[in-house]
């Protein structure tokens, strides 16, 4: 898979000149009467773009529901990178045939699928694109080459921001002080904003409810997930309290990790209770972190599940678990689709923007003066070389928070 820093370089060195060229081309087209946005026409085939952040697909759910409410006769599509495609299947809010993907295993696959994307959009007659990515040039370019006449996205206006050209038809100011789910809703509202309104999407967020679906276990799924746990440790049974630990974060912002040694010490203290089992989750590439914890604790009630669950099975695990302890990452948002209690660490990013949409959530945040240091304005690339904002969160404090939930 293409490394995040490589993607950032491509977005910068290729994205900037392409955005400039497309801006000139768009202005020339408008001069001769082409590319008319047709503001007064209702969208018929809408495409939302959210490429890289798996958790953001959950945060986009209220916006998708809003679109369906505003345009009940429209056909809604969603574009994301192939490796997080399962996130849309879990939400079950967009038909499978309307979920488009781009493979990023290599630059060749990225270019190939980008070209393919142009033809697919025209076949599906995409007329409106809502770009949920914040100041990402690649997704902005995708919105243009889709052929859509209406293109909605975040625009910097007089703010500091990344250059994305000037070919959006519906420009929304990015507000770094409201939850990301509300920012996504602003993009949807822009479709019904007056044409001369600057910036678009003037509405009160207090009138919008951020509702997401709940996914519950049926009898068979529950039996299967317990069977998977018992295959690792046959002594586990339904009377045990399952605590899930996600010590990982995506490579896009790896600085979001609470120290691994803190996780290990916390797990060791938790399993002192004979009634507690800890399951460590993650994809196969994150197994070294799980192995570190397992080797440190040396207890059979610590299970390494890295690479052993699908996204659906992970959600099933959340349904039988008591607590999820996690870094700020995708699993926290998918846990919000269940009733599990989430204990989540924030530091480089702020919970004001990315807290899971769950009523059962405890945020661990140190409120450092330098936090948050990653944002939409710096492509989430922090200069920090020592994330004290996370290191300062004491293990004992986290243990007491877990204890409060488990023994309530």
């Amino acid at each position: 898979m293409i490394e995040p820093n490589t993607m950032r370089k491509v977005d910068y060195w290729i994205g900037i000149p392409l955005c400039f060229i497309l801006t000139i081309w768009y202005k020339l087209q408008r001069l001769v009467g082409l590319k008319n946005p047709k503001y007064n026409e209702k969208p018929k085939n809408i495409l939302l773009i959210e490429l890289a952040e798996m958790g953001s697909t959950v945060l986009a759910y209220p916006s998708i529901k809003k679109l369906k409410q505003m345009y009940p006769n429209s056909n809604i599509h969603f574009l994301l990178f192939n490796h997080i495609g399962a996130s849309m299947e879990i939400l079950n809010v967009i038909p499978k045939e309307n979920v488009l993907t781009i493979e990023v295993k290599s630059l060749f696959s990225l270019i190939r699928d980008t070209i393919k994307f142009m033809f697919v959009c025209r076949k599906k007659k995409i007329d409106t694109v809502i770009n949920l990515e914040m100041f990402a040039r690649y997704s902005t370019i995708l919105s243009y080459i889709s052929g859509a006449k209406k293109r909605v996205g975040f625009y910097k206006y007089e703010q500091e921001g990344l250059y994305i050209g000037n070919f959006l038809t519906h420009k929304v100011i990015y507000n770094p002080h409201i939850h990301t789910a509300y920012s996504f809703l602003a993009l949807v509202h822009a479709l019904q904003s007056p044409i001369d309104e600057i910036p678009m999407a003037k509405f009160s967020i207090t009138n919008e409810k951020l509702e997401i679906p709940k996914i519950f276990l049926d009898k068979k799924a529950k039996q299967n997930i317990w069977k998977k746990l018992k295959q690792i440790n046959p002594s586990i049974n339904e009377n045990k309290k399952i605590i899930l630990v996600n010590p990982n974060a995506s490579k896009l912002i790896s600085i979001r990790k609470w120290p691994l040694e803190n996780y290990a010490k916390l797990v060791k203290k938790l399993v002192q209770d004979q009634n507690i089992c800890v399951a460590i989750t993650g994809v196969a590439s994150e197994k070294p972190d799980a192995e570190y914890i397992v080797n440190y604790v040396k207890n059979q009630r610590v299970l390494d599940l890295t690479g052993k669950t699908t996204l659906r099975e992970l959600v099933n695990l959340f349904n039988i678990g008591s607590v999820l302890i996690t870094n700020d990452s995708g699993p926290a948002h998918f846990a919000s689709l269940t009733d599990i209690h989430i204990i989540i660490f924030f530091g480089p990013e702020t919970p004001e923007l990315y807290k899971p949409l769950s009523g059962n959530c405890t945020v661990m945040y140190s409120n450092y003066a330098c936090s948050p240091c990653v944002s939409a304005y710096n492509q989430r690339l922090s200069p920090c070389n020592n994330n004290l904002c996370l290191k300062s969160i004491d293990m004992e404090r986290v243990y007491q928070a877990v204890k409060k939930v488990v023994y309530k």
Side-chain angles (χ1 to χ4, degrees):
M1 188 179 299
I2 303 175
E3 289 293 316
N5 283 336
T6 301
M7 288 291 291
R8 289 184 177 105
K9 289 177 182 178
V10 170
D11 200 60
Y12 182 84
W13 292 106
I14 299 177
I16 289 178
L18 277 180
C19 284
F20 179 76
I21 291 168
L22 287 178
T23 298
I24 301 300
W25 180 241
Y26 175 60
K27 290 184 180 298
L28 289 173
Q29 287 180 305
R30 294 296 293 123
L31 279 175
V32 297
L34 300 176
K35 280 285 184 180
N36 184 348
K38 297 183 179 179
Y39 290 102
N40 295 324
E41 289 188 6
K42 291 183 178 181
K44 296 178 181 177
N45 295 290
I46 305 169
L47 173 69
L48 294 100
I49 300 178
E50 174 50 64
L51 297 173
E53 290 279 359
M54 180 179 282
S56 290
T57 59
V58 178
L59 300 183
Y61 184 89
S63 296
I64 298 172
K65 297 295 285 186
K66 187 69 177 181
L67 271 175
K68 289 185 173 184
Q69 176 189 330
M70 290 166 57
Y71 305 107
N73 297 320
S74 67
N75 202 10
I76 301 176
H77 304 72
F78 204 99
L79 174 69
L80 67 174
F81 286 150
N82 187 57
H83 64 278
I84 65 168
S87 60
M88 289 310 300
E89 293 179 26
I90 291 290
L91 291 172
N92 194 30
V93 68
I94 289 178
K96 188 174 181 179
E97 63 271 19
N98 287 1
V99 177
L100 314 181
T101 61
I102 289 177
E103 183 59 73
V104 288
K105 286 184 177 179
S106 66
L107 283 175
F108 171 77
S109 64
L110 178 69
I111 295 170
R112 178 200 65 204
D113 284 5
T114 300
I115 295 171
K116 180 182 176 183
F117 166 80
M118 296 169 60
F119 293 100
V120 170
C121 286
R122 282 157 177 79
K123 184 178 180 180
K124 290 180 174 289
K125 298 180 180 180
I126 300 297
D127 55 60
T128 302
V129 173
I130 300 176
N131 181 16
L132 303 178
E133 298 273 346
M134 300 160 187
F135 305 114
R137 301 178 188 96
Y138 175 58
S139 57
T140 308
I141 292 168
L142 288 176
S143 72
Y144 189 85
I145 65 175
S146 70
K149 293 183 177 179
K150 294 183 180 69
R151 297 174 298 282
V152 188
F154 294 111
Y155 189 72
K156 68 187 182 74
Y157 286 103
E158 307 304 321
Q159 293 180 311
E160 177 186 0
L162 303 179
Y163 175 77
I164 57 166
N166 190 8
F167 46 88
L168 295 173
T169 60
H170 295 69
K171 301 173 183 176
V172 176
I173 194 167
Y174 173 65
N175 186 347
H177 308 291
I178 61 174
H179 196 279
T180 300
Y182 285 125
S183 292
F184 289 168
L185 277 167
L187 296 172
V188 173
H189 276 275
L191 285 172
Q192 294 188 348
S193 294
I195 299 171
D196 57 352
E197 184 175 87
I198 300 176
M200 286 183 165
K202 290 180 167 65
F203 72 102
S204 173
I205 61 174
T206 58
N207 296 329
E208 295 287 354
K209 291 183 179 180
L210 300 180
E211 296 179 345
I212 56 175
K214 288 294 181 182
I215 298 176
F216 299 102
L217 277 179
D218 58 31
K219 186 177 179 180
K220 184 177 180 180
K222 188 174 182 179
Q223 289 174 343
N224 287 339
I225 201 65
W226 277 109
K227 181 179 178 181
K228 183 177 283 287
L229 295 178
K230 290 174 183 178
Q231 285 173 344
I232 302 173
N233 184 344
S235 67
I236 287 180
N237 59 64
E238 286 81 347
N239 295 321
K240 299 289 185 182
K241 292 183 180 296
I242 306 298
I243 295 179
L244 301 169
V245 170
N246 171 49
N248 311 289
S250 72
K251 291 183 179 179
L252 185 65
I253 322 173
S254 58
I255 197 174
R256 292 182 294 188
K257 294 182 179 181
W258 192 48
L260 188 58
E261 56 270 25
N262 284 10
Y263 274 109
K265 292 175 182 177
L266 175 63
V267 171
K268 189 167 187 175
K269 189 161 186 175
L270 287 171
V271 294
Q272 288 176 1
D273 184 336
Q274 298 295 319
N275 198 38
I276 284 178
C277 293
V278 174
I280 305 169
T281 65
V283 297
S285 62
E286 296 164 337
K287 182 170 285 292
D289 286 354
E291 289 177 339
Y292 174 89
I293 297 173
V294 170
N295 293 332
Y296 180 90
V297 180
K298 293 182 174 64
N299 189 302
Q300 289 187 340
R301 283 180 286 109
V302 180
L303 313 182
D304 177 5
L305 292 180
T306 52
K308 297 178 181 178
T309 59
T310 62
L311 183 57
R312 168 64 69 175
E313 289 174 328
L314 182 62
V315 173
N316 291 345
L317 271 172
F318 294 150
N319 265 304
I320 67 169
S322 299
V323 184
L324 168 67
I325 307 165
T326 178
N327 297 317
D328 166 30
S329 57
H333 296 287
F334 284 93
S336 68
L337 301 176
T338 72
D339 289 331
I340 193 173
H341 194 99
I342 305 164
I343 294 178
I344 182 170
F345 303 106
F346 279 94
E349 285 191 308
T350 168
E352 295 299 319
L353 269 64
Y354 290 104
K355 180 183 175 183
L357 302 177
S358 170
N360 297 324
C361 186
T362 299
V363 170
M364 295 288 170
Y365 187 52
S366 297
N367 287 289
Y368 267 45
C370 55
S371 173
C373 60
V374 297
S375 72
Y377 299 133
N378 61 13
Q379 286 196 326
R380 295 185 169 86
L381 187 60
S382 172
C384 179
N385 63 0
N386 187 9
N387 59 343
L388 288 175
C389 57
L390 287 171
K391 292 177 180 178
S392 65
I393 299 175
D394 183 61
M395 185 276 290
E396 183 62 30
R397 174 187 165 195
V398 181
Y399 174 74
Q400 292 301 325
V402 177
K403 189 177 175 182
K404 186 177 180 181
V405 175
V406 173
Y407 301 108
K408 63 182 178 181

